[in-house]
Amino acid sequence: MLITHDTRCALDTVVDLVNTAPEDDTAADGLPDVAALADFTHGHSVSDIGTLSESDLSAVREVRGRFAGIFAAPDARAAAEMINELVAAAGTTPRLTNHDGYDWHVHYFAPGASLADHLAADCGMALAFFVVAGEQERLRRCEAPDCRRAFVDLSRNRSRRYCDSRTCGNRLHVAAYRARRKEAAG
C-alpha cells in the first residue's frame, strides 16, 4: 500500500489525537485547554488554522471521540460508515496545494474550515484509504492489558501488536519470561 507523505502526516495526527483522550475517568485529558490544542496543531504542522478558541477545543474533542470509534470498529463496513459520516459532516472540498516546502498534495478540508473540520476531512480521508485498500485491520489498539493506545500497523505482515515495542511489548515479554522462570524454579 502506497502511503504518501501527506497521508502519513494525517495518520500520525489522527493516532496522536485519539491517544490524547483519557483512558478512564481518573486519567487526564491530553488536550486540557486551548493552549494544549495549539501545541498539538503546531507539533503536527496543521496548516490553515486561525486563532483557536474553547469552541474549537470542544469540537476537536468530539471529532477525537468519533475517530476513536473508527479504531474500535469491528469491521470495514462499520469503519466506512463512521468515516463517511465524519468526512461528510466536515464538508470536504479536495484541492491541490503546495505549501511550506512540500510539493503538490491534496487537502480535503475547505478553505477557512474550522480545525475540527480540517482534522475530520484530512485524517478521515487518510483512514478511508486503509478501508478502500482492504487494510482496515491495520487500525489497531495496543494489546497490552494496561494500554489501549491507538496505532496504525504499517508492518509488512500486519503483525504489530503493541503501540510501542520498547515499552508495552518489552514489558509484557519480560513479565512472561519472569513467569516462566518462576514456574520452572518451582
Side-chain angles (χ1 to χ4, degrees), residues 2-177:
L2 175 66
I3 301 175
T4 61
H5 176 266
D6 51 316
T7 299
R8 180 58 192 252
C9 290
L11 289 172
D12 291 345
T13 300
V14 72
V15 164
D16 289 347
L17 178 63
V18 169
N19 289 334
T20 65
E23 298 220 5
D24 56 40
D25 293 336
T26 63
D29 193 311
L31 292 176
D33 52 33
V34 175
L37 181 60
D39 289 344
F40 180 87
T41 59
H42 179 73
H44 287 86
S45 301
V46 179
S47 61
D48 292 338
I49 58 168
T51 303
L52 299 175
S53 67
E54 288 293 329
S55 63
D56 288 310
L57 178 62
S58 178
V60 168
R61 285 178 175 166
E62 191 271 327
V63 165
R64 174 182 69 184
R66 296 177 78 184
F67 278 130
I70 295 166
F71 277 85
D75 56 37
R77 180 171 302 283
E81 288 175 11
M82 288 184 258
I83 292 169
N84 283 340
E85 289 173 10
L86 190 64
V87 170
T92 56
T93 307
R95 62 190 166 96
L96 287 168
T97 183
N98 66 342
H99 61 87
D100 299 329
Y102 295 108
D103 204 359
W104 291 104
H105 58 283
V106 179
H107 280 189
Y108 295 95
F109 59 93
S114 69
L115 175 58
D117 285 346
H118 176 141
L119 293 172
D122 272 3
C123 296
M125 289 304 299
L127 296 176
F129 296 142
F130 277 78
V131 174
V132 168
E135 302 285 352
Q136 181 261 336
E137 73 278 358
R138 289 183 182 268
L139 308 177
R140 298 191 176 166
R141 291 289 189 157
C142 184
E143 291 182 18
D146 58 342
C147 180
R148 296 299 300 150
R149 292 179 58 86
F151 68 93
V152 177
D153 179 3
L154 297 177
S155 68
R156 206 174 276 224
N157 62 357
R158 299 177 190 92
S159 63
R160 188 169 159 198
R161 298 175 48 207
Y162 307 109
C163 63
D164 187 346
S165 60
R166 289 177 296 206
T167 55
C168 290
N170 191 47
R171 187 178 63 243
L172 288 174
H173 288 110
V174 168
Y177 170 77

